[in-house]
Amino acid sequence: MHFRGKMRIVSKPRIDPVRWQPPPVEPLPDVPSPDVTIVPLPGKGPEDVVADAAGHILAGLEDGCIVRISPDGGEPVVVADTGGRPLGLHVGRDGRVLICDSYKGLLALDADSGALDVLADSVAGRPLMFCSNVTETSDSTIYFTESTRDFRFEHYTAAVIEARGRGGLFELGADGTVTQLLDGLYFANGVTPTADESALVFAETQARRLSKYWLSGPQAGSVTPLASHLPGMPDNISTGADGRIWVAMVAEVNTALEWLVPRAPVLRKLAWRLPERLQPQIKPEVWAVAFDPDSGHVVAGLRTKHPDFGVVTGVVESAGRLWLGTINYPAVAYVDVAATSV
């Protein structure tokens, strides 16, 4: 890899796929199709969205910039540049914005001054390759995911085509020590605590499931399912005001890819060498679903299409609006939370 200005020129890596049986597909209840409002940004790919204490919306763009948007959806302002590729975000208890950056690791940003601190850039002596999403509990413990230890964000499709469980869930201690809580996850992605902080809910995009990692009680340290066999790929997640778990659904099941993964790995090696336009493509939708944190039942959501937005990868409730991020468009979007009830 080398850099030309701020553009990354990245050679395509080799992949080492294995046979893998994808989970079955079970439908979800129908959800509303509310009106979607688009807020243009000065760059593409606001992969995640979060809200600060004042109601500002923050997102990270593919060129490394972190932007802040006023609560009324006004003109966005660039507040920092990580120099990498910011992905999942979380507003910490001290007001700093925690940032997962695929190239820089886990960062903390003072959005007023633009000061950036590196909290963790390695695990067990190796660099963090794909720091994906981050959250913090009330005792100031930080948890984060790594989608895969083998590839950077630019080649996220390589991890999916390989179908190897190389993702993990981690805890960052007060002394800066990183502890791995879970390994073998199939593209670990969003993570958020339940409202009572008894557990973390985390998403595995390729496995198409949500699970709970218990932090307290008799199940502490164990994992239990929350919602499995999803008909789409869950991405970043957040906890709503009423405790429901909002999930950005980046795309429906890719039938071509799921046909390939149980078959001879050489077929996926050949597919990986094809030009990108000939590889399985994502169909853009505006899709997010809220799940009950105990039963896993769908309690709210939206699913629609918009010519200027789709491929939802981030979601957060703020002041009566549900804000949405994306990896494919130069904008964020929002809908009326009340219009998402089922």
Side-chain angles (χ1 to χ4, degrees), residues 36-51 55-61 65-77 85 89 286 306 308-316 321-335:
V36 178
T37 300
I38 307 301
V39 180
L41 298 181
K44 184 180 176 183
E47 200 263 354
D48 197 15
V49 283
V50 293
H56 295 100
I57 303 301
L58 294 110
L61 308 181
C65 289
I66 305 294
V67 294
R68 182 167 56 193
I69 305 157
S70 63
D72 61 0
E75 189 72 20
V77 176
R85 197 342 174 171
L89 309 175
V286 185
H306 194 284
D308 301 316
F309 194 80
V311 191
V312 176
T313 51
V315 58
V316 69
R321 291 174 174 171
L322 187 71
W323 287 85
L324 307 168
T326 175
I327 54 170
N328 275 29
Y329 293 83
V332 293
Y334 65 83
V335 301

Side-chain angles (χ1 to χ4, degrees), residues 250-335:
V250 65
E252 63 182 9
V253 170
N254 189 305
T255 53
L257 180 59
E258 295 214 345
W259 181 87
L260 276 174
V261 290
R263 289 168 170 79
V266 67
L267 295 176
R268 275 171 287 149
K269 287 186 177 182
L270 292 172
W272 178 240
R273 293 177 187 147
L274 293 173
E276 185 175 348
R277 69 181 185 279
L278 298 178
Q279 293 180 17
Q281 300 296 309
I282 291 176
K283 296 178 182 179
E285 291 187 84
V286 185
W287 190 12
V289 181
F291 295 85
D292 182 277
D294 298 315
S295 68
H297 294 158
V298 172
V299 293
L302 71 147
R303 191 172 187 181
T304 187
K305 292 185 178 181
H306 194 284
D308 301 316
F309 194 80
V311 191
V312 176
T313 51
V315 58
V316 69
E317 267 189 59
S318 180
R321 291 174 174 171
L322 187 71
W323 287 85
L324 307 168
T326 175
I327 54 170
N328 275 29
Y329 293 83
V332 293
Y334 65 83
V335 301

Side-chain angles (χ1 to χ4, degrees), residues 208-232:
R208 291 189 279 104
R209 65 189 175 201
L210 307 175
S211 303
K212 296 171 82 168
Y213 176 84
W214 291 90
L215 298 175
S216 61
Q219 294 176 297
S222 68
V223 175
T224 58
L226 179 62
S228 303
H229 306 163
L230 298 176

Side-chain angles (χ1 to χ4, degrees), residues 68-158:
R68 182 167 56 193
I69 305 157
S70 63
D72 61 0
E75 189 72 20
V77 176
V78 176
V79 295
D81 184 346
T82 69
R85 197 342 174 171
L87 299 171
L89 309 175
H90 180 79
V91 178
R93 290 175 57 77
D94 63 1
R96 293 190 299 173
V97 182
L98 303 176
I99 303 169
C100 277
D101 189 294
S102 181
Y103 277 84
K104 303 294 183 175
L106 182 60
L107 311 176
L109 165 69
D110 183 322
D112 293 324
S113 68
L116 281 163
D117 294 319
V118 177
L119 302 183
D121 58 8
S122 63
V123 175
R126 66 166 181 84
L128 275 169
M129 293 293 288
F130 200 141
C131 191
S132 189
N133 199 242
V134 59
T135 194
E136 184 183 25
T137 49
S138 59
D139 63 358
S140 299
T141 303
I142 294 172
Y143 301 92
F144 65 95
T145 59
E146 184 181 35
S147 293
T148 171
R149 59 177 179 265
D150 292 337
F151 304 100
R152 299 288 189 186
F153 171 80
E154 283 80 0
H155 292 123
Y156 69 88
T157 54

